[in-house]
Amino acid sequence: MDKTFRIALLPGDGIGPEVMKEAVKLLRVVEPRLDGVRFELEEFSVGAGEYLRSGDPLPAATLERLRQFDAILLGAMGLPAVRWPSGTEIAPQLDLREQLDLYAGHRPVRLYHAHDTPLKRYEAGQIDFVIVRESTEGLFWSRKGSFAPDAAEVTDTMRISRAASERLFRYAFRLARTRRRRLALVDKANVLPSMAFFRKVFDEVAREFPDVETERIYVDAASLYLVQRPHSFDVIVTENIFGDILSDLAAALVGGMGMAPSGDIGDRHAVFQPAHGSAPDIAGQGKANPTAMLLSVAMMLEWLAQPETVRGARIIYDSVERCFRDPAHRTPDLGGRLSTSELGDLIAEEAARAA
Ligand code: ATP
C-alpha cells in the first residue's frame, strides 16, 4: 500500500532557501526509487524575513499547521540585522523546539573523506559519533529574559529538570544501543549544582541500560578529548549550551558547518535542519555547502522509520560518500570551486544511480 508523507518546508533566511532547493531536488530523485513511498511537500514562510513582512517570525496559524505534518525540514533562520526590540536575534527555530517539545538535538558527526578534517590520520568513517543536545531548557532557559538599560548586573539561570533530563538520557541510551553501545555524559558536575543533579539523574537512568558502557566527562575535558581522540566517542549526551558549543567544535573536525546535519526530535514531532545558521556572509552567492542540509534529509527519512524511507536515507549517505571521494567535488568552504547547485547536482546524480 502506498504511503504518503507530508513534509513541511521552512526555507527561512540567508542561505536557508539555497540549501533547501537542493534538498527538494534530492528528495525528488530519491522518491521514485522507494517502493510505495510518496512525499507531499508544502512550503511555509517562517523566520526573519517573515518577521519583516508580518511582524511575527512564526505566526500562530503556521505553527498550528506545522503540527499536522509528518516531519519538518528547515533551512536556516535569523539575520544579524533583524532583531527584537530587546536586541536579541529572531530565532523561531528555538521557538519551534520549545513549542513542539523537541527535546533531543540529534547531531551526527561523520567524516566523509580524509581531505576534510584538520586532524591527521583520519580516514572516512573513522570519526563517527552523535552529540545529543538537550534542547528545551539548560542555560537557554533564560534566553527570553531582558535587562534594564541601567542594570548593574544580569543573571541567567541554568534550569535542569528531572523530567527533561530523564527523557533526554533515555533517548541517548536507546540511540547508543543502535550503534556501538557507548555513551558519554558531558557536564560540569564539579562546579554547578544543576550539573551535579544532571549527573545524578544520568546515573539513575544508566541502571536501566546495563548493556551500554558509560563515561562521565567535564565539558572542558570533553573539548580536549574531541580533538585528541574523536574516534573514541560513539554517543555524547549533554546540556543545551554545552551541546551548542561542542557541536560546532565537532563540525570543525569533519569539514565545518556545511557538513553538520541535525534533527530536533520530540515524541510526536521532529524538525530536520543543517546545524549551521543563515550564514549571511555568503548568502546569495551560490557558495553554501548543501551537504549538511542533504544529510538532514537523510536523517528525516531514517526517522520516518519505514523500511523504504530508511533505504532512502542509506541512498543519500552512500551518495554523499561516493561523491566526496573525488577531491574536486567540494564547495569553497572545503577548499573547492563548486557552487551550491553544482555539488547538489553531483550528489543527486549519485542518488539517481541507486537501484
Ligand atoms: P547561528 O547562531 O544561527 O548558529 P552563526 O552566526 O553562529 O549562526 P553560521 O551562520 O552557522 O553562524 O555561520 C558560521 C560560519 O560558517 C560562517 O562563516 C558561514 O559562512 C559558515 N557556514 C555556515 N554554513 C555554511 C554552509 N552551509 N556552507 C559554507 N559555509 C557555511
Side-chain angles (χ1 to χ4, degrees), residues 62-80:
T62 303
L63 181 61
E64 280 323 298
R65 293 282 319 283
L66 292 177
R67 289 183 194 280
Q68 293 152 20
F69 282 76
D70 293 305
I72 301 171
L73 271 182
L74 192 154
M77 283 175 190
L79 291 173

Side-chain angles (χ1 to χ4, degrees), residues 2-3 5 23-41 297 301 308-309 311-313 315-316 348-355:
D2 279 11
K3 169 87 180 136
F5 291 99
V24 172
K25 189 159 78 187
L26 183 60
L27 202 53
R28 290 306 187 202
V29 170
V30 171
E31 183 180 27
R33 287 171 172 74
L34 307 183
D35 197 17
V37 171
R38 292 291 162 265
F39 299 108
E40 199 179 293
L41 309 179
V297 173
L301 296 180
E308 281 300 282
T309 62
R311 199 167 67 75
I315 291 174
I316 295 178
E349 278 164 29
E350 287 291 350
R353 287 193 198 109

Side-chain angles (χ1 to χ4, degrees), residues 5 26 39 42 45 52 90 103 122 138 167 182 184 191 210 212 230 246-247 252 259 302 318 326 344 348:
F5 291 99
L26 183 60
F39 299 108
E42 189 172 340
S45 172
L52 292 176
I90 308 277
Y103 57 86
Y122 281 97
R167 65 184 182 175
R182 293 173 55 90
V191 175
V212 176
L246 289 182
S247 47
M259 297 302 292
E302 247 181 317
D318 291 347
D326 184 338

Side-chain angles (χ1 to χ4, degrees), residues 37-60:
V37 171
R38 292 291 162 265
F39 299 108
E40 199 179 293
L41 309 179
E42 189 172 340
E43 196 172 307
F44 295 87
S45 172
V46 174
E50 179 59 27
Y51 174 75
L52 292 176
R53 253 188 307 277
S54 71
D56 187 349
L58 176 59

